[in-house]
C-alpha cells in the first residue's frame, strides 16, 4: 500500500549487462516531504538505479511508480512528476542562465503565459536572479550547479532526483544548495539524493539506503544504520614506512572487523573498542612502519558504510 | 509534443546560425566551389559532339530516311554525326570503346514488315558516358515508332477493307501515310545543353548535403556528451522529439544548401539543371538519403568527433564514386557501376538525365525510388541503432 501512495517507489528493480548484474532486486519507497539518500561505492549500481528511476534505462525486471503512475506504462505522465538533476552540468554554455531555464521550461510543456514568472521564481529559489542574464559559460561551478538544479524544478515535480549535485562546488554554493534542498523537502517534495559527501547525506537525508554490488544491503534511518555497527569505533591511522605491509598486519589484528586504505599513508579501521585497541595496532606495525597520528571516531554513517561494503565512500 | 519539437528545432537552428557553420557549410563553401569548378572546367559536355552509329541491316526506306533527316536537321548540325556500322556487334564494340555515343540498329526486313502492316522493332544502344547521344537516338526512334504505328494501322485497315495485298502499299502512300515521313525538330534537344558546370554544381550540392545534414545528427552526440540529451529524455516528452527536432533543421538547411547551389549555377552560368519540379524531387530524395545515412553514422559511433570523421569519409567516398567530384561518364567503366552503390551516383544520373533531356519527374522515377529506398533502409537501421545507443 505504501508503494501506491509514495512519491517514488520501485520494486524488484534489476538490470543485467550480459553476465554482469548491475542492479539486482532493488526496492525503495520515498514519501512526499522525505529525503532519501542512496549511498554506494563506485560501480555499486547507483547510477544504473537512478537511470532506471528517471526512465533513461529500461529495467530488465521490476517496476517504478511515480506518484502511483507506472513509469513503464505511462512514461510521460510519470516523468512529468520527476525532476532529474544529472551529475554533470547538463546545460548549454552558450546560453544565459535564464535562456537555459526557458528552453527546458518550454520543452517540459510549461504554459507560455506563466513561463517567465515560473523562471523568475526558480531563479529566486536558487539565488541567481541578479546573474540570470549572464552566459552560463562565465558562471562559477557553484552557480552552474544551481542552474542545473533549477532546470529540474521548473515543472514543479513531486520528486527531485539528484545525482551528486555538489561535485566541484565551493563551500558557499554547497551551503546554498543544501539550504535550498532542505527548504524544498520542508515544502513537501520527495528527494532522492546520492553524494560522495557523507556529511551532506547525514544533513539532508532522513533515510538512507546503502547499495553494493547492485543490491541494497541496508536501509533505514541514520540511527538504525549506525546501530548495525554495534560498538565498533572508526580508527584513523597515519603511517610512515612500508604502509602496504603495515596495512596487512593491521587487518589481522584481533578486533579489527574492516580495514581500508584512505591514502598513500593513511588507513581506516573499524574495530570493537577502538580506543583500547590502539596499543595493539601500534605494536602490529612495528618493523614495517611507525604510527605518526591516530584518531578514534565514534560510530557514524561512514563507519556503517565501511562495515557493510568493506570500502570507504570515496574509493 | 509539437511545441517540444519546435523548441528543440529552434535551439538547433539558433546554434547552427550563431556558430556560423550553417552559413559557411550550407551556402558559402558549396556555392563558391561549384562556381570555381564551373568557371575552371565548365563548358559544353563532350556528348554534345557525339556520334551516333547507324546499323542498317534492313536497307529499306526507314534507315534511309533517318540518315537523310539527321544529316539535314539544323538542330543537329555540328554536334551529332552519323557513322555507318556493319552490324550489331561492331556497334556495341564502338560504343564500349567510346567511339560512338549511341547506336540505332535496324534489323533485316524492317521496312518490309512495316509495309506489310506487321510493325517492327528498332534497337537503340546507349552509353551512360554520352547521355545526349542516347537522348537524340531515342528521340529519332520515337519518331520512327510513331510513323510505324500510323503505317501499320493504315495497312491493316486497308487489308480489312478488302484491298488486295499488292495494292495496299500504293493505296496507303497515296492517301497520306506516305512512307516514313520522319521529321526531326528541335524537340530532342530541349533543355539538352549539359554543361559541365551543371555536373560540378550538382556534385557540390550532393556532397555538401551530407555535411549540412550530418552536422545536426552530430550535435545529438554533442548533447549526449553534454548531458542535455539525458535531461531531455528524462523529461516529459516523447523519445523521438530530440532526434526529430534536429533532423528537421538538418533537412531544412540541407535543402536550402542544395537549392542555393542550384540557383547560383543557373544564375551565374545560365545553364539549366532541367525541369524545376523534377530537379527539386531529385534533390529532396538525395537530401533524405544523406540524412538517413548520416543519422545511421550518429547511431553507430560513440562520440561527436568520431561522427565528424566517419561522415567526412563517407561523404567524400560517396562523392567521388558517385560522380559528384568527377562526372560519371569520365569514370572508368567498373567505377560507373560502383557509383550506383552511392546515393550520389543515382542523383548524378538523374540530374544528368534531367539536364540533358528536359524531361519531367517520370523520367527519373527510378533513381528517385532508389534514393528513397536508401533513405528508408538507412533510416530504419539508424532508428534501431539509436534505441540500442540510448538516444531514443
Amino acid at each position: 500500500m505504501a508503494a501506491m501512495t509514495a512519491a517514488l517507489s520501485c520494486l524488484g528493480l534489476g538490470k543485467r549487462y550480459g553476465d554482469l548484474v548491475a542492479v539486482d532486486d532493488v526496492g525503495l519507497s520515498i514519501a512526499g516531504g522525505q529525503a532519501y539518500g542512496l549511498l554506494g561505492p563506485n560501480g555499486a549500481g547507483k547510477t544504473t538505479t537512478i537511470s532506471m528511476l528517471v526512465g533513461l534505462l529500461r529495467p530488465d525486471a521490476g517496476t517504478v511508480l511515480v506518484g502511483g503512475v507506472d513509469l513503464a506504462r505511462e512514461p510521460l505522465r510519470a516523468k512529468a512528476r520527476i525532476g532529474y538533476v544529472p551529475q554533470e552540468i547538463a546545460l548549454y554554455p552558450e546560453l544565459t542562465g535564464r535562456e537555459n531555464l526557458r528552453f527546458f521550461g518550454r520543452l517540459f510543456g510549461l504554459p507560455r503565459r506563466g513561463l517567465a514568472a515560473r523562471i523568475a521564481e526558480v531563479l529566486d529559489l536558487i539565488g541567481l536572479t541578479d546573474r540570470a542574464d549572464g552566459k552560463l559559460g562565465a558562471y562559477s561551478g557553484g552557480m552552474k550547479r544551481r542552474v542545473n538544479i533549477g532546470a529540474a524544478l521548473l515543472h514543479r515535480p513531486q520528486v527531485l532526483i539528484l545525482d551528486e549535485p555538489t561535485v566541484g562546488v565551493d563551500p558557499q554554493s554547497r551551503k546554498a544548495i543544501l539550504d535550498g534542498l532542505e527548504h524544498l523537502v520542508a515544502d513537501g517534495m520527495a528527494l532522492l539524493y546520492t553524494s560522495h559527501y557523507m556529511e551532506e547525506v547525514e544533513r539532508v537525508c532522513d533515510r538512507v539506503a546503502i547499495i553494493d554490488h547492485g543490491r541494497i544491503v541496508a536501509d533505514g534511518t541514520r540511527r538504525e544504520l549506525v546501530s548495525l555497527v554495534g560498538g565498533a569505533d572508526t580508527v584513523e591511522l597515519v603511517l610512515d614506512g612500508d604502509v602496504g605491509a603495515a596495512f596487512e598486519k593491521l587487518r589481522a589484528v584481533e578486533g579489527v572487523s574492516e580495514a581500508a586504505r584512505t591514502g598513500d599513508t593513511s588507513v581506516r579501521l573499524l574495530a570493537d573498542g577502538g580506543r583500547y585497541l590502539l596499543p595493539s595496532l601500534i605494536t602490529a606495525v612495528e618493523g614495517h612502519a611507525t604510527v605518526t597520528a591516530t584518531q578514534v571516531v565514534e560510530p557514524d554513517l561512514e563507519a556503517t558504510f565501511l562495515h557493510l561494503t568493506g570500502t570507504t565512500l570515496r574509493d | 509534443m509539437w511545441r517540444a519539437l519546435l523548441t528543440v528545432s529552434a535551439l538547433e537552428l539558433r546554434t547552427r546560425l550563431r556558430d556560423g557553420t550553417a552559413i559557411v557549410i550550407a551556402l558559402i563553401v558549396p556555392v563558391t566551389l561549384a562556381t570555381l569548378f564551373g568557371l575552371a572546367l565548365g563548358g559544353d559536355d563532350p556528348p554534345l559532339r557525339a556520334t551516333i552509329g547507324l546499323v542498317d541491316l534492313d536497307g529499306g526506306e526507314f534507315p534511309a530516311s533517318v540518315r537523310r533527316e539527321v544529316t539535314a536537321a539544323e538542330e543537329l548540325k555540328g554536334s551529332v554525326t552519323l557513322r555507318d556500322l556493319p552490324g550489331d556487334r561492331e556497334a556495341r564494340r564502338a560504343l564500349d570503346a567510346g567511339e560512338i555515343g549511341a547506336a540505332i540498329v535496324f534489323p533485316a526486313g524492317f521496312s518490309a514488315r512495316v509495309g506489310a502492316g506487321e510493325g517492327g522493332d528498332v534497337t537503340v544502344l546507349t552509353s551512360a558516358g554520352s547521355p545526349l547521344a542516347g537522348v537524340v537516338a531515342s528521340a529519332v526512334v520515337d519518331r520512327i515508332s510513331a510513323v510505324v504505328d500510323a503505317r501499320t494501322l493504315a495497312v491493316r485497315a486497308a487489308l480489312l477493307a478488302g484491298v488486295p495485298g499488292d495494292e495496299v502499299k500504293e493505296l496507303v502512300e497515296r492517301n497520306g501515310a506516305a512512307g516514313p515521313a520522319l521529321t526531326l525538330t528541335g524537340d530532342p534537344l530541349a533543355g539538352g545543353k549539359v554543361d559541365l558546370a551543371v555536373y560540378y554544381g550538382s556534385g557540390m550540392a550532393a556532397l555538401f548535403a551530407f555535411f549540412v545534414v550530418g552536422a545536426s545528427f552530430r550535435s545529438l552526440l554533442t548533447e549526449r556528451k553534454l548531458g542535455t540529451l539525458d535531461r531531455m529524455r528524462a523529461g516529459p516528452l516523447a523519445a523521438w522529439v530530440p532526434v526529430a527536432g534536429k533532423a528537421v533543421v538538418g533537412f531544412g538547411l540541407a535543402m536550402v544548401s542544395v537549392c542555393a547551389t542550384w540557383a547560383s549555377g543557373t544564375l551565374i552560368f545560365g545553364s539549366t539543371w532541367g525541369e524545376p519540379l523534377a530537379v527539386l524531387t531529385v534533390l529532396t530524395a538525395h537530401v533524405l538519403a544523406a540524412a538517413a545515412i548520416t543519422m545511421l553514422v550518429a547511431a553507430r559511433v560513440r562520440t561527436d568527433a568520431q561522427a565528424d570523421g566517419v561522415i567526412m569519409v563517407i561523404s567524400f567516398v560517396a562523392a567521388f564514386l558517385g560522380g559528384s567530384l568527377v562526372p560519371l561518364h569520365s569514370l572508368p567503366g567498373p567505377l560507373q557501376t560502383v557509383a550506383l552503390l552511392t546515393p550520389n551516383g543515382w542523383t548524378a544520373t538523374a540530374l544528368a538525365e534531367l539536364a540533358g533531356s528536359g524531361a519531367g519527374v517520370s523520367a527519373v522515377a527510378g533513381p528517385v525510388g532508389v534514393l528513397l529506398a536508401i533513405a528508408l533502409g538507412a533510416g530504419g537501421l539508424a532508428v534501431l541503432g539509436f534505441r540500442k545507443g540510448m538516444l531514443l
Side-chain angles (χ1 to χ4, degrees), chain A residues 11 18 41 44 59 71 73 81 87 90 99 116 137 139-140 154 157 189 196 199 213 216 241 248 261 283 294 305 315:
Chain A
L11 193 66
L71 181 65
R73 289 175 190 272
R81 299 169 184 214
Q87 188 170 347
E99 287 169 341
Y139 284 9
S140 70
L154 286 162
M189 186 177 284
H196 271 101
E199 62 277 14
H213 299 296
I216 288 184
E248 292 305 319
R261 290 198 49 178
T283 306
T294 64
F305 192 84
D315 274 355

Side-chain angles (χ1 to χ4, degrees), chain A residues 219-236:
Chain A
D219 174 13
T221 63
R222 178 187 179 282
R223 183 185 295 272
E224 287 167 350
L225 290 178
V226 170
S227 71
L228 293 174
V229 190
D233 294 326
T234 301
V235 181
E236 307 267 5

Side-chain angles (χ1 to χ4, degrees), chain B:
Chain B
M1 208 46 72
W2 293 110
R3 189 173 167 222
L5 182 80
L6 285 176
T7 303
V8 173
S9 294
L11 181 64
E12 171 70 8
L13 183 60
R14 177 180 169 176
T15 306
R16 297 284 298 277
L17 292 176
R18 195 183 260 190
D19 67 13
T21 54
I23 304 293
V24 173
I25 299 177
L27 295 175
I28 296 174
V29 179
V31 168
T32 304
L33 285 179
T35 305
L36 290 176
F37 272 110
L39 288 171
L41 304 167
D44 290 345
D45 185 21
L48 262 182
R49 291 180 292 279
T51 301
I52 296 176
L54 185 65
V55 179
D56 183 5
L57 304 175
D58 176 41
E61 54 196 320
F62 277 93
S65 175
V66 167
R67 187 175 291 111
R68 187 174 60 244
E69 290 299 329
V70 170
T71 309
E74 285 297 320
E75 296 285 340
L76 302 180
K77 264 190 182 139
S79 56
V80 174
T81 52
L82 283 182
R83 182 198 287 185
D84 283 306
L85 292 164
D88 181 87
R89 189 177 298 169
E90 288 78 5
R92 289 181 190 279
R93 195 177 299 137
L95 199 64
D96 291 342
E99 295 166 8
I100 59 172
I104 303 171
V105 182
F106 285 95
F110 176 80
S111 298
R113 278 200 298 279
V114 174
E118 296 169 9
D121 293 326
V122 177
T123 307
V124 178
L125 305 175
T126 60
S127 155
S130 186
L132 184 72
V135 168
V136 173
S138 297
V140 168
V141 169
D142 283 347
R143 299 276 172 183
I144 294 169
S145 298
V147 171
V148 166
D149 286 346
R151 185 76 174 270
T152 303
L153 189 62
V155 168
R156 284 183 180 167
L159 286 170
L160 280 174
V163 176
D166 54 352
E167 295 174 19
V168 166
K169 185 169 184 290
E170 189 271 332
L171 177 73
V172 166
E173 290 180 357
R174 183 155 37 86
N175 286 283
L182 182 66
T183 52
L184 291 176
T185 67
D187 288 357
L189 292 176
K193 189 186 178 195
V194 184
D195 191 302
L196 276 176
V198 173
Y199 278 116
Y200 289 113
S202 60
M204 288 302 115
L207 168 62
F208 278 86
F210 275 84
F211 293 138
V212 176
V213 75
S216 281
F217 293 113
R218 171 207 190 274
S219 74
L220 207 56
L221 295 165
T222 307
E223 296 237 19
R224 181 163 75 180
K225 188 170 69 179
L226 208 57
T228 44
L229 185 66
D230 271 356
R231 192 190 275 281
M232 287 188 219
R233 291 178 58 232
L237 59 150
W240 53 266
V241 167
V243 178
K246 286 175 179 293
V248 165
V249 173
F251 178 80
L253 288 175
M255 284 307 296
V256 168
S257 175
V258 295
C259 289
T261 311
W262 173 22
S264 71
T266 304
L267 290 174
I268 294 169
F269 298 106
S271 52
T272 176
W273 287 23
E275 200 273 315
L277 181 63
V279 173
L280 188 64
T281 305
V282 172
L283 292 176
T284 304
H286 176 80
V287 171
L288 282 173
I293 289 171
T294 52
M295 191 163 84
L296 181 58
V297 171
R300 296 286 164 167
V301 300
R302 290 182 178 278
T303 66
D304 49 2
Q306 282 179 328
D308 280 342
V310 176
I311 288 174
M312 184 170 289
V313 169
I314 287 178
S315 303
F316 274 109
V317 169
F320 177 76
L321 294 178
S324 300
L325 300 176
V326 179
L328 276 180
H329 64 259
S330 299
L331 292 174
L335 282 186
Q336 289 185 18
T337 307
V338 173
L340 299 181
L341 297 175
T342 69
N344 304 51
W346 290 99
T347 303
T349 302
L351 290 177
E353 168 73 22
L354 293 176
S357 68
V361 176
S362 59
V364 289
V368 167
V370 174
L371 288 168
L372 293 178
I374 291 172
L376 277 176
L381 290 173
V383 168
L384 292 177
F386 277 146
R387 284 185 182 279
K388 196 176 173 187
M390 294 187 294
L391 290 171
L392 276 179

Side-chain angles (χ1 to χ4, degrees), chain A residues 213-289:
Chain A
H213 299 296
R215 294 183 67 92
I216 288 184
V217 293
D219 174 13
T221 63
R222 178 187 179 282
R223 183 185 295 272
E224 287 167 350
L225 290 178
V226 170
S227 71
L228 293 174
V229 190
D233 294 326
T234 301
V235 181
E236 307 267 5
L237 297 178
V238 180
L239 301 167
D240 183 20
D242 185 352
V243 180
F247 178 69
E248 292 305 319
K249 291 289 180 187
L250 289 168
R251 295 175 72 127
V253 172
E254 191 176 346
V256 173
S257 54
E258 296 290 343
R261 290 198 49 178
T262 52
D264 291 340
T265 60
S266 58
V267 298
R268 179 177 298 155
L269 309 172
L270 202 60
D272 285 325
R275 65 189 65 240
Y276 305 108
L277 211 57
L278 275 178
S280 305
L281 297 174
I282 293 168
T283 306
V285 301
E286 274 178 3
H288 299 288

Side-chain angles (χ1 to χ4, degrees), chain A:
Chain A
M1 192 53 132
M4 295 295 288
T5 54
L8 176 69
S9 67
C10 65
L11 193 66
L13 217 51
K15 186 73 186 174
R16 300 177 71 97
Y17 295 103
D19 291 336
L20 176 73
V21 179
V23 172
D24 183 21
D25 196 26
V26 164
L28 54 84
S29 179
I30 311 171
Q34 185 180 38
Y36 193 98
L38 189 61
L39 293 177
N42 286 333
K46 296 193 299 289
T47 300
T48 306
T49 301
I50 284 183
S51 294
M52 289 190 283
L53 291 175
V54 300
L56 289 176
L57 202 57
R58 195 169 294 125
D60 294 332
T63 54
V64 177
L65 299 179
V66 189
V69 178
D70 190 330
L71 181 65
R73 289 175 190 272
E74 297 180 86
L76 300 192
R77 260 188 80 204
K79 285 178 177 181
R81 299 169 184 214
I82 297 175
Y84 170 53
V85 182
Q87 188 170 347
E88 64 273 30
I89 308 289
L91 299 165
Y92 299 97
E94 71 276 13
L95 301 185
T96 67
R98 192 188 304 277
E99 287 169 341
N100 268 287
L101 294 179
R102 189 181 297 134
F103 172 76
F104 285 107
R106 282 180 183 162
L107 201 64
F108 294 169
L110 263 70
R112 192 180 297 270
R113 185 173 291 180
L115 182 59
R118 179 58 185 157
I119 290 171
E121 269 178 40
V122 169
L123 283 169
D124 185 48
L125 188 71
I126 60 177
L128 284 177
T129 302
D130 297 340
R131 300 291 304 276
D133 296 312
K135 284 272 169 60
L136 192 94
Y139 284 9
S140 70
M143 289 163 68
K144 288 177 189 169
R145 287 273 165 204
R146 282 189 266 169
V147 181
N148 207 32
I149 294 171
L153 295 172
L154 286 162
H155 58 299
R156 297 185 175 84
Q158 288 180 13
V159 55
L160 190 63
I161 299 179
L162 302 103
D163 191 3
E164 306 275 358
T166 60
V167 170
V169 166
D170 59 277
Q172 191 183 353
S173 283
R174 173 173 290 140
K175 181 179 181 308
I177 289 170
L178 296 181
D179 287 349
L181 292 178
E182 285 179 332
H183 184 69
L184 290 170
V185 173
D187 284 350
M189 186 177 284
L191 203 74
L192 177 63
Y193 193 94
T194 74
S195 174
H196 271 101
Y197 301 106
M198 193 70 79
E199 62 277 14
E200 286 182 11
V201 176
E202 290 197 317
R203 174 182 160 180
V204 174
C205 302
D206 40 32
R207 195 169 181 88
V208 175
I210 293 176
I211 185 170
D212 194 24
H213 299 296
R215 294 183 67 92
I216 288 184
V217 293
D219 174 13
T221 63
R222 178 187 179 282
R223 183 185 295 272
E224 287 167 350
L225 290 178
V226 170
S227 71
L228 293 174
V229 190
D233 294 326
T234 301
V235 181
E236 307 267 5
L237 297 178
V238 180
L239 301 167
D240 183 20
D242 185 352
V243 180
F247 178 69
E248 292 305 319
K249 291 289 180 187
L250 289 168
R251 295 175 72 127
V253 172
E254 191 176 346
V256 173
S257 54
E258 296 290 343
R261 290 198 49 178
T262 52
D264 291 340
T265 60
S266 58
V267 298
R268 179 177 298 155
L269 309 172
L270 202 60
D272 285 325
R275 65 189 65 240
Y276 305 108
L277 211 57
L278 275 178
S280 305
L281 297 174
I282 293 168
T283 306
V285 301
E286 274 178 3
H288 299 288
T290 53
V291 177
T292 57
T294 64
Q295 187 183 8
V296 179
V297 184
E298 296 287 321
D300 61 3
L301 213 48
E302 184 89 44
T304 308
F305 192 84
L306 179 62
H307 173 65
L308 291 171
T309 68
T311 178
T312 62
L313 195 53
R314 292 188 189 91
D315 274 355

